Amino acid sequence: MNMNKYVRFLVTEFLYNGHLQSLGAGGLIVIATKLLFNTSAPLEFFIATYALFETIFIFDRYHDLDWDSLTNTVRSKHLLLYRNKIPFIFATYVIVFASFFYYFSGIQMLLVSVVVCIAGMLYPVYFKKLTKKIPLFKNIYVSAVYMPLAFFPAIYLSTSPVRDVLAIHLPIVVFVESFIAQLILDTKDRESDSKAHLKTLPALVGNTKTMITAACLAVALAVASTLVSIFTHAPFSFGLLTFAALFIDFYMIYRIRMGDKNGYLLAAAKLFIWLVVFLLSNLLV
C-alpha cells in the first residue's frame, strides 16, 4: 500500500466508520463535565467513551455489511478490505472502554457503559425491525442511546452537579439534537428505507417536510436553551454552544437542500464540532 492509498484508507475510515460520531460522544463528556461540574474531564474518560461508541458503530457496520453494499458502496468496499479483522478490532474497543471505566471509576460506571453498549448493539440485531411497525422508532432509539452521556460525568466522578437546572436541560439538548441529526441522515436513505418498509420520517412524508421538521425542532430547542441560559446564569460557553448548534443545524440542512452530500458528513460530525466550539469558547473567556 503506497502513501496515497494509505492516506485515502485513513480518511475513508475516519469519515465513514463512526469515528466522527464517537469523537462527538467523547466531546459531549467534555462539555457535560465542564458545564455541570465546573471541572475538566480526564483524558481516560474521553478515550473510554470514544471506545464505547466505536464499539457500537463497528458492530453495526459489521452486522449490516451485506445490506450496506446496496446503500453505501464507499463504506462497504472500505470495510471489506479488513472484514476478517473486524472481530479483533471490536474486542480491542471493548477491552479499552471496559478496563478504563472500571479502573478509573469503578463497577457502577462499567455496568452503565455495558448497558449502553448492549442497547446500541441491539438496534441492528432486533430493534431495527420495530421501525417497520413504529414510526420514527429508529430516531427515538438512537437518540436515547446518546442521551445517557449527559449523566456519565456524575457516575464517573461520583458527585452531584453544581448546576441543577442545566443538569436537567442538557440531557434534553442531547436527545433533541441527536434526533435532528438522525432525521437529516435518514433523508439520504429515503428510497431504500421505503423499499424496506421502515417508517422513518422521510419515508413517510418526504425529505422536504423532514427538513422543515428538523429546522422547527432546532429553533424550539435554541429558544428553550436561551431561556435556560438567561434564567440560570449559565456559562458563556453554553450560550455560544446554543447558537452554534442552531447554525450547524440550519447550515447542514441548507447544504443538503443544495445537493451537497457533505451536509450529511456535517450531520455526523455535529457533536464533534460542538466540542471544538466549546473548547474555543473556554479559551476566549
Side-chain angles (χ1 to χ4, degrees):
M1 183 179 291
N2 59 40
M3 183 59 68
N4 288 336
K5 288 184 177 180
Y6 184 72
V7 172
R8 194 181 305 116
F9 175 88
L10 290 178
V11 171
T12 305
E13 171 69 20
F14 183 74
L15 295 179
Y16 289 95
N17 215 15
H19 296 282
L20 281 171
Q21 293 97 319
S22 298
L23 286 171
L28 280 175
I29 293 302
V30 174
I31 294 170
T33 303
K34 187 66 176 179
L35 285 178
L36 303 183
F37 300 91
N38 200 30
T39 189
S40 299
L43 178 61
E44 65 272 8
F45 191 12
F46 178 89
I47 295 172
T49 305
Y50 164 81
L52 167 61
F53 273 77
E54 196 56 30
T55 300
I56 296 172
F57 278 109
I58 200 166
F59 178 84
D60 176 77
R61 304 291 194 259
Y62 185 71
H63 182 271
D64 289 342
L65 185 55
D66 293 332
W67 170 255
D68 212 28
S69 63
L70 302 175
T71 60
N72 195 324
T73 55
V74 175
R75 186 169 66 197
S76 60
K77 288 180 179 178
H78 172 75
L79 286 170
L80 286 172
L81 294 175
Y82 62 96
R83 183 174 190 170
N84 294 335
K85 297 179 181 178
I86 291 179
F88 171 76
I89 297 171
F90 172 83
T92 301
Y93 283 131
V94 171
I95 292 171
V96 168
F97 86 73
S99 59
F100 274 41
F101 279 137
Y102 179 73
Y103 181 79
F104 291 104
S105 181
I107 189 66
Q108 187 177 12
M109 187 69 239
L110 172 62
L111 292 176
V112 170
S113 66
V114 169
V115 170
V116 171
C117 186
I118 293 174
M121 291 191 297
L122 278 177
Y123 175 75
V125 175
Y126 176 74
F127 288 111
K128 188 174 184 178
K129 301 173 185 177
L130 293 181
T131 308
K132 294 182 178 181
K133 301 177 181 179
I134 306 174
L136 307 185
F137 179 81
K138 171 187 175 182
N139 310 77
I140 295 170
Y141 190 89
V142 172
S143 301
V145 171
Y146 271 95
M147 190 177 180
L149 286 170
F151 304 109
F152 268 31
I155 302 170
Y156 189 89
L157 300 173
S158 299
T159 186
S160 300
V162 297
R163 298 185 176 96
D164 294 338
V165 176
L166 203 55
I168 297 172
H169 182 65
L170 191 60
I172 298 173
V173 172
V174 174
F175 181 89
V176 176
E177 283 290 349
S178 299
F179 191 86
I180 292 170
Q182 289 304 312
L183 286 179
I184 298 302
L185 290 170
D186 281 344
T187 60
K188 66 180 173 62
D189 297 324
R190 182 179 63 84
E191 292 185 6
S192 60
D193 285 346
S194 296
K195 291 178 181 178
H197 305 291
L198 297 177
K199 294 182 178 180
T200 62
L201 193 60
L204 294 172
V205 302
N207 286 355
T208 299
K209 291 182 180 179
T210 299
M211 299 285 189
I212 294 172
T213 301
C216 290
L217 285 173
V219 171
L221 182 62
V223 171
S225 295
T226 301
L227 293 175
V228 169
S229 183
I230 292 172
F231 289 109
T232 64
H233 304 290
F236 169 78
S237 55
F238 178 70
L240 184 61
L241 193 63
T242 296
F243 288 101
L246 182 62
F247 174 80
I248 293 168
D249 287 338
F250 269 81
Y251 185 67
M252 69 183 183
I253 291 171
Y254 168 75
R255 295 312 311 172
I256 293 170
R257 292 288 294 169
M258 292 293 103
D260 185 359
K261 293 184 178 181
N262 287 326
Y264 294 115
L265 287 178
L266 187 61
K270 178 166 65 171
L271 297 180
F272 178 68
I273 298 173
W274 281 18
L275 174 61
V276 175
V277 172
F278 186 79
L279 293 176
L280 288 176
S281 67
N282 279 276
L283 289 175
L284 294 174
V285 178

